[in-house]
Amino acid sequence: MAAGSGRYRRATVRALTERRPRSLAGQVFLLQLTVGLLLVLGALAALLVTSRNDTEQAARSRSVAVAQTFAYSPGVRAALRAPDPSKILQPLTEEARKHAGVDFIVVMNTHGIRYTHPKPEDIGKHFVGNIGPSLAGKVRVESVNGPLGHEVQAIVPITDRGSVVGLVSAGMKVASVSRAIAGHLPVIFGISGVALALATAATAVITTRLRRQTRGLGSAEMSRMYEHHEAVLHAVREGVVIVSDDGRLLLANDEARRLLALPEDAEGQAVAQLPGLAPELAGLLASGRPAADEIHQTGGRLLAVNQRRTDRHAAGMGTVATIRDSTELRLLSGRAEVAHERLRLLYEAGVSVGTTLDVARTAEELAEVAVPRLADYVTVDLAAPVLRGDEPAGSGAQQMLRTAAHGIRGDLPFHPPGTLITFVDGTPQARGMDTGRSQVVSDLSTTHTWQLPDPERARRVLACGIHSLIATPLNARGNILGVANFWRSQKPEPFDEEDRSLAEELVARAALSIDNARRYTREHALAVTLQRSLLPRTLPEQSAMEVAHRYLPAQSGVSGDWFDVIPLSGSRVALVVGDVVGHGLHAAATMGRLRTAVHTFSTLDLTPDELLGHLNDLVDQIDQEEADTADGTGITGATCLYAIYDPVSRRCDVARAGHPPPALVHPDGTVEFPELPACPPLGLGGVPFETTELTLPEGTQIVLYTDGLVEERTRDLDVGMELLRGALSRPGRSPEENCRAVLDQLLPDRPRDDVALLIARTRVLGPDRVAAWDVPFDPAAVARMRSSISDKLGEWGLDELAFATEVVVSELVTNAIRYGSPPVKARLLRDRSLVCEVADGSNTSPHLRYAATMDEGGRGLFLVAQLTERWGTRYTPQGKVIWAEQQLPTGTNLPPT
């Protein structure tokens, strides 16, 4: 067909060019004159039709406007309710009709009975027209044969409080409309004459231009030029297209017709209207803008288009475009680009998946990196034991926990994270975990096995346009940890083998990260269990303080933070907080050894500085033992703060070894960080520790903590201390409330270090619970002490303990006078037990021994040990104190804990 079209064009050109250019120009002149005349006649007909339509439309619009205006006029509704509506409305309608330029305005009731009419004799008759739509509240325009003849009328409802109470019709006779059209005819014919004159002048100008463009060439020269043009144009293997400035196709060679699938009559048509041409390519050809190797897809081909103006120095010459088929080249480059994109996805997965040692977060990272480049939705389901750090139970049907779900939309149609799901036999997930291979479901709508766990949820998935699935098992080191599901909805094509291969490689990398996180979770859980077993599970009962505590292990691993509350003799209480530098089992085990040592040393009733000195020696010994082992691991550091509070004297003795100072919250809410000597951490040695004595008002809260509470990478230590001050400076709060406030304000969501927090509010053992005597250094004073003790116990209601207490005090006072030195003092404390204390000025310590049968002495301390729960000795700067505790009788009121 293309060759035939070319032969036809060549024959036509020869026939035209055999005549002289002047004869050719004359024929063109006559042709153009004829065409111009036809165009003028067509325009005249169009103007007549348009004028008629416009006039009739104006009549309709005027009728609607007049009817609506009258319907909404004040007084019309009241007139309808009058006994004689016609008497009121007839003058009004006639006056309005004359001013509005319509032929009639008719007001009627809801039954169509006229109240007004230009012909009074028609008042009271039925209205000619369809009033049904207007009774329903609508405006109707229609043409009818009424009393005035052929009419165009509008019917408008008159409403009152939402109900139709009457109707108004306004309109014009068709004859009036025709007279309006006739008034336009002189203008139309005048315009047509002018157009014909302009067309004749334009034809003369075009003929003159044609003579110039032929340059006086004869028919032979023009035929030869055309044949050369045809030979070259259709021989090249590149499409050539010439488009005019108004977007019409002027020329297309054979290659362009093949590449663009153009019809035979394409030349002369608008490019934008050519069938089969892609809109982007049609837009480029019609725009006339320059282009260089732009790629467009049409008809399954990728075409490279170059376009420029036909004449760079003149406007209005159109554009020429050359078109090359680059489908195969683009296919190869597209495959290379796809391979590059997949390699980049795998690289990004290697960087962004497994950034933490958290199983759930690693699964979320896998889902996030795969959307949307591999799939539109990703869900990751892990075996429930994996999240706890254990190995999965095995493959096949088992409970899975939805761990991650991510997609291109926020409202996912899948089960949310945290849901337990059982993949029964036959589902793609179960088959994948049994075989260890990915399962591809190309069409979810025709495959029903994947719907077995939850058919209702499956219908919601299909309703979102999801049509294809890859279920890939998470296989790491021979264990199936779970399954990753990749869902596609945006791309119409299903997953293919290349997608399966990419999913398996992506999941294989993520599975190793999840398994590493699982192993870390198990080790972390073991370490936390060990550490918690080494920490106090419950605090001992004591009445000197109201205590609250918190311990938070770090997300990255356990460390050596610990705290303790240790009851001491004389109703005193020791508070301990310590920290072993480092993380892991080694730090937790070292912490356990140090905590045990603190308990052991505290039974000796050592002062804080002495206890830290002994603890320092122990750390030196442990460090040396660890350094001598094969791995050469030693303690990198340990800190400790030890405080003893006496509820009788309200004195608190504090010493620290490289530990942050305590905070004191006074009853009025002010917070103070007392100045304590900055002694080095344990194990460094060389500098003795110092004890600071503090006198605390009743109700003061002592806040002990480890450095994980106030130190953070993003802030200075001073900032953390001020934050702690601000969190505590609220009067009237209990220790428990202060614990919550401190952790809420100072700790991030995922703390990097362990935190131990201990808050104790002091109580005072008042004078009603304490009795003290100065004992003369004379054996005769023992009898008087027995009497005083008996009287005091009777006052306290503890007569049951009088005999044993008298024996204990007698023996202790006798030993102090016989073997000690003055001054001798005795004291009774009624606390959770009855405490007897005898102090003297010597440092000699009594020893319990078994006396021989014939010995006269040596049985006093033996009696004390038999009559009391426990007894002991503590040393003071003034000498020593021997104490003994007895359990109170059942039913005795105890002080608060």
Side-chain angles (χ1 to χ4, degrees), residues 671-684:
V671 180
E672 174 191 359
F673 294 97
E675 292 291 338
L676 302 181
C679 300
L682 300 173
L684 297 184

Side-chain angles (χ1 to χ4, degrees), residues 235-304:
V236 296
R237 299 302 299 167
E238 189 172 88
V240 178
V241 173
I242 299 178
V243 181
S244 65
D245 283 342
D246 59 356
R248 295 187 176 276
L249 181 63
L250 299 180
L251 183 142
N253 67 348
D254 293 343
E255 184 67 9
R257 290 177 178 275
R258 183 182 70 84
L259 295 176
L260 302 179
L262 298 177
E264 287 299 320
D265 58 347
E267 293 180 356
Q269 295 187 30
V271 174
Q273 298 177 358
L274 290 176
L277 198 59
E280 294 82 2
L281 180 56
L284 171 62
L285 296 177
S287 66
R289 64 176 176 84
D293 288 331
E294 284 193 14
I295 302 300
H296 292 268
Q297 184 175 3
T298 181
R301 299 177 183 273
L302 292 175
L303 305 179

Side-chain angles (χ1 to χ4, degrees), residues 606-669:
L606 300 177
T607 59
D609 57 329
E610 292 176 327
L611 185 141
L612 291 181
H614 288 293
L615 199 62
N616 181 73
D617 296 338
L618 176 62
V619 171
D620 284 337
Q621 180 182 351
I622 296 175
D623 192 40
Q624 185 62 40
E625 292 174 358
E626 295 290 342
D628 293 339
T629 58
D631 56 4
T633 302
I635 300 177
T636 58
T639 65
C640 183
L641 187 147
Y642 188 84
I644 298 176
Y645 174 70
D646 186 349
V648 178
S649 63
R650 296 184 290 109
R651 193 181 76 179
C652 183
D653 297 336
V654 185
R656 62 170 177 154
H659 203 82
L664 300 179
V665 184
H666 295 286
D668 61 355

Side-chain angles (χ1 to χ4, degrees), residues 10 27 43 65 288 390 423 672 703 709 733 760 862:
R10 288 194 292 271
Q27 291 182 4
D390 301 328
F423 294 118
E672 174 191 359
V703 182
L709 181 67
R733 287 198 307 208
F862 184 79

Side-chain angles (χ1 to χ4, degrees), residues 375-691:
D376 299 311
Y377 300 91
V378 175
T379 57
V380 181
D381 306 312
L382 298 179
V386 173
L387 294 169
R388 300 191 299 267
D390 301 328
E391 292 188 356
S395 61
Q398 58 177 307
Q399 276 197 331
M400 292 285 169
L401 189 68
R402 175 61 48 82
T403 309
H406 188 66
I408 57 177
R409 291 172 47 185
D411 52 337
L412 302 181
F414 308 100
H415 287 289
T419 306
L420 282 174
I421 303 173
T422 301
F423 294 118
V424 298
D425 293 337
T427 59
Q429 293 83 357
R431 292 199 308 271
M433 289 186 287
D434 287 337
T435 62
R437 288 275 298 166
S438 296
Q439 302 296 313
V440 179
V441 182
S442 300
D443 190 352
L444 295 174
S445 61
T446 59
T447 306
H448 302 288
T449 56
W450 70 279
Q451 306 180 20
L452 294 177
D454 192 344
E456 178 61 29
R457 181 74 61 172
R459 283 191 288 271
R460 292 176 56 185
V461 170
L462 293 174
C464 291
I466 300 173
H467 59 81
S468 187
L469 163 69
I470 298 179
T472 304
L474 288 154
N475 189 347
R477 301 181 178 96
N479 291 323
I480 302 297
L481 308 178
V483 61
N485 305 291
F486 302 89
W487 312 82
R488 176 171 286 179
S489 64
Q490 295 293 317
K491 296 181 180 179
E493 63 273 9
F495 287 115
D496 55 20
E497 287 300 318
E498 291 186 359
D499 295 323
R500 180 214 291 261
S501 176
L502 178 60
E504 289 181 345
E505 190 166 356
L506 185 65
V507 170
R509 300 189 181 194
L512 288 177
S513 298
I514 292 177
D515 192 53
N516 291 337
R518 176 191 67 82
R519 294 177 176 228
Y520 170 79
T521 301
R522 180 181 60 189
E523 295 176 0
H524 180 69
L526 292 175
V528 169
T529 302
L530 171 63
Q531 186 179 34
R532 290 192 180 277
S533 68
L534 297 174
L535 291 171
R537 298 186 179 181
T538 58
L539 296 181
E541 294 182 351
Q542 47 81 31
S543 56
M545 294 179 168
E546 177 189 356
V547 180
H549 61 90
R550 291 289 190 277
Y551 173 75
L552 277 75
Q555 295 293 328
S556 58
V558 298
S559 65
D561 292 14
W562 91 91
F563 66 93
D564 238 323
V565 178
I566 306 172
L568 301 177
S569 63
S571 297
R572 298 171 305 141
V573 175
L575 303 176
V576 190
V577 171
D579 182 8
V580 176
V581 177
H583 293 81
L585 293 176
H586 178 71
T590 303
M591 176 269 290
R593 298 177 68 177
L594 296 182
R595 178 171 177 259
T596 303
V598 170
H599 271 267
T600 303
F601 294 146
S602 65
T603 59
L604 302 176
D605 270 324
L606 300 177
T607 59
D609 57 329
E610 292 176 327
L611 185 141
L612 291 181
H614 288 293
L615 199 62
N616 181 73
D617 296 338
L618 176 62
V619 171
D620 284 337
Q621 180 182 351
I622 296 175
D623 192 40
Q624 185 62 40
E625 292 174 358
E626 295 290 342
D628 293 339
T629 58
D631 56 4
T633 302
I635 300 177
T636 58
T639 65
C640 183
L641 187 147
Y642 188 84
I644 298 176
Y645 174 70
D646 186 349
V648 178
S649 63
R650 296 184 290 109
R651 193 181 76 179
C652 183
D653 297 336
V654 185
R656 62 170 177 154
H659 203 82
L664 300 179
V665 184
H666 295 286
D668 61 355
T670 59
V671 180
E672 174 191 359
F673 294 97
E675 292 291 338
L676 302 181
C679 300
L682 300 173
L684 297 184
V687 179
F689 300 100
E690 299 182 40
T691 297

